[in-house]
Amino acid sequence: MINMSTYTNRDTQKIVTTQEIGRGGEGVVYQVAGRADVVAKIYHADHRTLSRQAKLTAMLTQPPVDRGRAFVPPHVALAWPTDLLFEQGAFAGFLMPRIERSPNLVALFNPVLRRQRFPQADYRFLCHTACNLAAVLAALHSRGHVVGDLNQKNILVKANTLVTLVDTDSFQIRDGVGHCYHCPVGVPDYTPPELQGQPLATLDRQPYHDCFGLAVLIFQLLMEGYHPFTGRPLTAALADVDQLSLHCMQQGWFPYSRNAQVQPPPAAPPFFWLPPEVRRLFLQTFLVGHLQPTQRPTAVTWAQALSRAEADLVQCRHQHTHWYGKHLTDCPICGPQPKVSTNVLPSAKATKPMSTASAAATKSQGGISGCLLSLLLMAGFCYGGVIILMLARNGLWPCLVPALLIMGLTPVIRQNLGPLTVRSCRLLATNLWRFWQWTWAFCRWLAPRIGQGGRAAYAFWRSRPPRVKELTMAALLIALLVTVSYCNSAPGRLNRASVTSPLPTPMMTSPLATPTTVLSDKE
């Protein structure tokens, strides 16, 4: 639709709008004649208020730093107003940079849409996009502004991981004298729990409120689009709760942490796939931040952590499109997947079993918890230590070799049998098979060398003169006699029974000494 209308800017220059390119509840966006770098947003008549004009004026006087403008080609990270438009002297709208048509964030974190719109996107792409989003939000917060209505639809993503925040005229803006122009709207899924149900139109929001929505968006990017508070109820009382994710958000029940109310969805990626630092920031946001909102990680902290996490990613040896954190031993996508639990609530409706989500933050699903397994291992260590001490005191040193071998393999056993899942059993079987292959290969390598060494030693012995042979045999016989004589004179060195269970020792007496009288308990 073409609308050839004429407006003026603050310098009374004429601005002519032409083709309509977008329409919303507040106004219409048009192309500008002779200008390919900007577009015009013209408000509907009922939205052309003095307060909106004052807010846009404050945005023009307090713009954030957009570092994307220095890129080649330049990138607009914030669709910030550049000028005001007037119609016959009355406020009508504003000019803003023209943004390249790009999909919003939903098309990236949704796996199905991502394969269609971003076929080249791998885990590095997702991590870098999340880092860029945090960096743009940090630049906005540095000027005292807050998005307020931070959600997946007002964030556009390009094929090079660069992001753009749009609908900036709805942001919460602070002018140079401390006046606040509020953001009147908000999406519940990205609004922090302390603001749920509050009058947003009159509420002064802070950067840590934005950081809650930022953490939700980063979680969705790194966890295949799952909302961090989407989970499976573990109690019958929660089975019929409407909007369970919002209820968990308000209660502070993070499904990927240890709790008795909810667990992650069965198909969600395990929480331990994320790098440790990123996991810690999520727990700080959703658990610590629930009680102390000011303790949520800032956008700068997120950007730095995600940059380090991206630098630590490892490429899969089998599938070059797979990337994973270096804290994992193998590619989690190529490796065997853990079996999900089959426990379902009797009264739950259309619920599915829950997978083992996090080895670090959730309980094991296999029957024996990690805490109980740790106690059993501690008891085994203590019992093994006592056995080793008894073997040592009785001189049975050869028996210590298998005992020490078992103690050395204990961490491997705990690592493989900890979750007691099919994946762990397969991993243990694989390790045992590899150990057997290595042992067999070592024996095959060692056997001919032992035979060769024995034959060389036998040939060397046969080539010695008879006198040398006689002296050698005599020396060995003398050494054997000395050893037997020493053992007979000091039997305690081979038999420690007198130490562990000493016999009553008689009192030493002599012709010149009188035995000491032993007092009884009665005396």
Side-chain angles (χ1 to χ4, degrees):
M1 179 178 179
I2 299 178
N3 179 23
M4 298 291 292
S5 300
T6 303
Y7 303 90
T8 57
N9 61 7
R10 291 182 297 175
D11 297 332
T12 66
Q13 296 177 346
K14 290 185 178 181
I15 304 295
V16 180
T17 60
T18 58
Q19 181 72 33
E20 176 182 332
I21 58 177
R23 178 179 292 269
E26 294 181 341
V28 184
V29 179
Y30 296 98
Q31 294 180 357
V32 177
R35 299 283 302 273
D37 58 330
V38 296
V39 294
K41 181 174 181 179
I42 306 301
Y43 288 107
H44 299 313
D46 55 341
H47 288 82
R48 301 181 183 183
T49 61
L50 294 178
S51 61
R52 189 178 295 273
Q53 179 182 355
K55 180 178 182 178
L56 291 170
T57 303
M59 296 179 70
L60 294 174
T61 57
Q62 298 289 329
V65 178
D66 191 346
R67 300 186 184 278
R69 303 297 180 92
F71 294 170
V72 179
H75 169 70
V76 178
L78 289 160
W80 207 258
T82 59
D83 206 345
L84 297 183
L85 295 179
F86 301 89
E87 186 176 20
Q88 296 179 356
F91 168 71
F94 64 93
L95 293 177
M96 60 181 176
R98 186 184 183 94
I99 306 299
E100 178 182 349
R101 188 177 296 274
S102 304
N104 58 31
L105 205 62
V106 179
L108 182 60
F109 65 62
N110 183 288
V112 177
L113 298 178
R114 181 171 65 244
R115 287 190 290 268
Q116 299 173 359
R117 305 298 299 271
F118 297 93
Q120 82 287 358
D122 52 16
Y123 200 74
R124 290 183 307 166
F125 190 99
L126 300 176
C127 195
H128 198 80
T129 303
C131 181
N132 287 336
L133 175 59
V136 174
L137 196 63
L140 183 71
H141 290 170
S142 65
R143 297 291 289 176
H145 307 314
V146 174
V147 175
D149 186 22
L150 183 64
N151 62 79
Q152 78 281 19
K153 293 184 178 180
N154 58 14
I155 302 172
L156 305 182
V157 185
K158 299 175 66 175
N160 56 2
T161 74
L162 295 177
V163 300
T164 302
L165 298 185
V166 297
D167 294 335
T168 58
D169 55 321
S170 66
F171 290 2
Q172 176 180 286
I173 305 299
R174 291 189 181 274
D175 58 15
V177 296
H179 183 74
C180 180
Y181 299 94
H182 301 106
C183 173
V185 293
V187 177
D189 287 340
Y190 302 92
T191 302
E194 66 271 15
L195 299 186
Q196 297 283 343
Q198 298 294 324
L200 301 179
T202 59
L203 192 66
D204 286 353
R205 307 194 202 188
Q206 301 299 325
Y208 57 81
H209 294 143
D210 270 355
C211 292
F212 178 88
L214 173 64
V216 174
L217 292 170
I218 294 175
F219 191 93
Q220 290 179 308
L221 279 171
L222 303 182
M223 296 289 283
E224 295 296 307
Y226 283 92
H227 192 277
F229 287 94
T230 298
R232 182 179 74 98
L234 298 179
T235 61
L238 296 176
D240 298 325
V241 173
D242 294 334
Q243 296 182 326
L244 181 60
S245 61
L246 294 181
H247 182 73
C248 294
M249 185 191 305
Q250 294 172 357
Q251 299 297 325
W253 297 338
F254 183 44
Y256 298 84
S257 65
R258 186 168 298 179
N259 66 85
Q261 288 78 25
V262 287
Q263 288 186 344
F271 192 53
F272 67 87
W273 284 8
L274 298 177
E277 186 179 9
V278 176
R279 276 181 282 159
R280 180 182 62 81
L281 293 182
F282 280 131
L283 295 175
Q284 184 178 348
T285 301
F286 300 133
L287 295 182
V288 179
H290 182 264
L291 301 176
Q292 299 176 330
T294 58
Q295 298 302 313
R296 294 183 183 123
T298 63
V300 175
T301 303
W302 273 112
Q304 295 172 348
L306 291 169
S307 179
R308 289 190 291 266
E310 182 189 0
D312 291 339
L313 291 180
V314 179
Q315 190 176 25
C316 178
R317 295 173 295 177
H318 308 289
Q319 189 64 254
H320 295 307
T321 59
H322 294 172
W323 292 81
Y324 59 93
K326 69 176 184 180
H327 66 289
L328 301 174
T329 56
D330 296 308
C331 177
I333 304 176
C334 297
Q337 300 297 316
K339 180 179 288 186
V340 300
S341 173
T342 57
N343 298 325
V344 183
L345 290 175
S347 60
K349 298 181 179 179
T351 56
K352 296 182 179 180
M354 174 57 207
S355 65
T356 53
S358 172
T362 59
K363 292 184 178 179
S364 173
Q365 301 285 324
I368 299 180
S369 65
C371 181
L372 179 58
L373 186 62
S374 301
L375 294 177
L376 292 177
L377 288 174
M378 291 176 61
F381 272 117
C382 296
Y383 185 73
V386 173
I387 293 178
I388 291 175
L389 181 61
M390 294 176 62
L391 293 175
R393 295 175 67 87
N394 285 276
L396 302 178
W397 291 103
C399 297
L400 292 178
V401 177
L404 293 175
L405 181 61
I406 293 175
M407 292 183 64
L409 292 177
T410 299
V412 180
I413 295 174
R414 186 189 187 282
Q415 177 183 1
N416 289 279
L417 294 182
L420 294 179
T421 58
V422 174
R423 178 178 181 274
S424 300
C425 294
R426 290 177 180 174
L427 183 60
L428 177 61
T430 302
N431 291 338
L432 292 177
W433 175 248
R434 290 176 180 175
F435 178 77
W436 169 253
Q437 288 180 325
W438 295 338
T439 305
W440 178 250
F442 178 76
C443 292
R444 293 185 61 182
W445 174 84
L446 187 62
R449 286 161 176 78
I450 293 177
Q452 182 180 0
R455 289 189 295 271
Y458 181 71
F460 177 81
W461 173 256
R462 291 190 61 182
S463 63
R464 297 300 93 193
R467 186 64 176 171
V468 174
K469 295 180 180 179
E470 293 174 358
L471 291 176
T472 303
M473 295 300 296
L476 292 176
L477 182 60
I478 293 174
L480 178 62
L481 293 177
V482 170
T483 302
V484 172
S485 177
Y486 176 76
C487 293
N488 291 332
S489 63
R493 294 184 180 273
L494 295 179
N495 185 7
R496 295 292 182 177
S498 60
V499 177
T500 57
S501 56
L503 298 175
T505 303
M507 185 174 297
M508 299 297 295
T509 59
S510 68
L512 301 179
T514 302
T516 303
T517 302
V518 179
L519 300 178
S520 63
D521 295 337
K522 295 181 180 180
E523 297 178 347

mmCIF file of all heavy atoms in Angstrom, residues 147-149 170 183-187 191 200-201 205:
data_model
loop_
_atom_site.group_PDB
_atom_site.id
_atom_site.type_symbol
_atom_site.label_atom_id
_atom_site.label_comp_id
_atom_site.label_asym_id
_atom_site.label_seq_id
_atom_site.Cartn_x
_atom_site.Cartn_y
_atom_site.Cartn_z
ATOM 1 N N VAL A 147 14.911 -2.597 28.622
ATOM 2 C CA VAL A 147 13.977 -3.038 27.589
ATOM 3 C C VAL A 147 12.581 -3.171 28.172
ATOM 4 O O VAL A 147 11.603 -2.684 27.612
ATOM 5 C CB VAL A 147 14.433 -4.373 26.972
ATOM 6 C CG1 VAL A 147 13.384 -4.895 25.991
ATOM 7 C CG2 VAL A 147 15.770 -4.214 26.271
ATOM 8 N N GLY A 148 12.464 -3.833 29.318
ATOM 9 C CA GLY A 148 11.160 -4.037 29.941
ATOM 10 C C GLY A 148 10.434 -5.208 29.314
ATOM 11 O O GLY A 148 10.290 -6.270 29.925
ATOM 12 N N ASP A 149 9.991 -5.047 28.085
ATOM 13 C CA ASP A 149 9.264 -6.110 27.385
ATOM 14 C C ASP A 149 10.236 -6.921 26.537
ATOM 15 O O ASP A 149 10.106 -7.009 25.306
ATOM 16 C CB ASP A 149 8.156 -5.497 26.517
ATOM 17 C CG ASP A 149 7.272 -6.560 25.870
ATOM 18 O OD1 ASP A 149 7.238 -7.686 26.392
ATOM 19 O OD2 ASP A 149 6.653 -6.267 24.842
ATOM 20 N N SER A 170 9.093 1.227 22.748
ATOM 21 C CA SER A 170 8.370 0.709 23.914
ATOM 22 C C SER A 170 9.297 0.459 25.101
ATOM 23 O O SER A 170 8.833 0.037 26.167
ATOM 24 C CB SER A 170 7.650 -0.589 23.551
ATOM 25 O OG SER A 170 8.584 -1.627 23.250
ATOM 26 N N CYS A 183 7.790 1.301 30.535
ATOM 27 C CA CYS A 183 7.349 0.331 29.534
ATOM 28 C C CYS A 183 6.047 -0.289 30.041
ATOM 29 O O CYS A 183 6.047 -0.961 31.082
ATOM 30 C CB CYS A 183 8.410 -0.750 29.326
ATOM 31 S SG CYS A 183 7.894 -2.101 28.250
ATOM 32 N N PRO A 184 4.944 -0.104 29.356
ATOM 33 C CA PRO A 184 3.653 -0.517 29.910
ATOM 34 C C PRO A 184 3.307 -1.983 29.684
ATOM 35 O O PRO A 184 2.271 -2.443 30.185
ATOM 36 C CB PRO A 184 2.663 0.383 29.171
ATOM 37 C CG PRO A 184 3.302 0.626 27.854
ATOM 38 C CD PRO A 184 4.787 0.642 28.086
ATOM 39 N N VAL A 185 4.107 -2.739 28.942
ATOM 40 C CA VAL A 185 3.725 -4.100 28.580
ATOM 41 C C VAL A 185 4.816 -5.078 28.997
ATOM 42 O O VAL A 185 5.922 -4.685 29.394
ATOM 43 C CB VAL A 185 3.473 -4.210 27.057
ATOM 44 C CG1 VAL A 185 2.247 -3.417 26.670
ATOM 45 C CG2 VAL A 185 4.695 -3.722 26.278
ATOM 46 N N GLY A 186 4.489 -6.362 28.882
ATOM 47 C CA GLY A 186 5.435 -7.416 29.223
ATOM 48 C C GLY A 186 4.853 -8.781 28.922
ATOM 49 O O GLY A 186 3.653 -8.996 29.078
ATOM 50 N N VAL A 187 5.697 -9.707 28.481
ATOM 51 C CA VAL A 187 5.291 -11.082 28.208
ATOM 52 C C VAL A 187 5.535 -11.905 29.467
ATOM 53 O O VAL A 187 6.660 -11.916 29.986
ATOM 54 C CB VAL A 187 6.077 -11.663 27.017
ATOM 55 C CG1 VAL A 187 5.704 -13.121 26.776
ATOM 56 C CG2 VAL A 187 5.812 -10.831 25.763
ATOM 57 N N THR A 191 8.952 -12.282 32.049
ATOM 58 C CA THR A 191 8.868 -11.297 33.123
ATOM 59 C C THR A 191 9.277 -11.949 34.434
ATOM 60 O O THR A 191 8.797 -13.042 34.755
ATOM 61 C CB THR A 191 7.436 -10.746 33.241
ATOM 62 O OG1 THR A 191 7.055 -10.173 31.977
ATOM 63 C CG2 THR A 191 7.348 -9.681 34.318
ATOM 64 N N LEU A 200 2.628 -2.708 35.390
ATOM 65 C CA LEU A 200 3.870 -2.417 34.676
ATOM 66 C C LEU A 200 3.913 -0.991 34.139
ATOM 67 O O LEU A 200 4.993 -0.429 33.970
ATOM 68 C CB LEU A 200 4.044 -3.410 33.524
ATOM 69 C CG LEU A 200 4.095 -4.892 33.925
ATOM 70 C CD1 LEU A 200 4.249 -5.756 32.679
ATOM 71 C CD2 LEU A 200 5.221 -5.161 34.898
ATOM 72 N N ALA A 201 2.767 -0.395 33.858
ATOM 73 C CA ALA A 201 2.746 0.940 33.267
ATOM 74 C C ALA A 201 3.271 2.008 34.216
ATOM 75 O O ALA A 201 3.680 3.088 33.771
ATOM 76 C CB ALA A 201 1.326 1.292 32.825
ATOM 77 N N ARG A 205 11.359 -0.253 36.282
ATOM 78 C CA ARG A 205 12.092 -1.512 36.149
ATOM 79 C C ARG A 205 13.591 -1.249 36.192
ATOM 80 O O ARG A 205 14.062 -0.163 35.835
ATOM 81 C CB ARG A 205 11.711 -2.217 34.847
ATOM 82 C CG ARG A 205 10.214 -2.406 34.680
ATOM 83 C CD ARG A 205 9.906 -3.391 33.586
ATOM 84 N NE ARG A 205 8.572 -3.219 33.052
ATOM 85 C CZ ARG A 205 7.988 -4.040 32.183
ATOM 86 N NH1 ARG A 205 8.644 -5.086 31.740
ATOM 87 N NH2 ARG A 205 6.765 -3.808 31.738
#
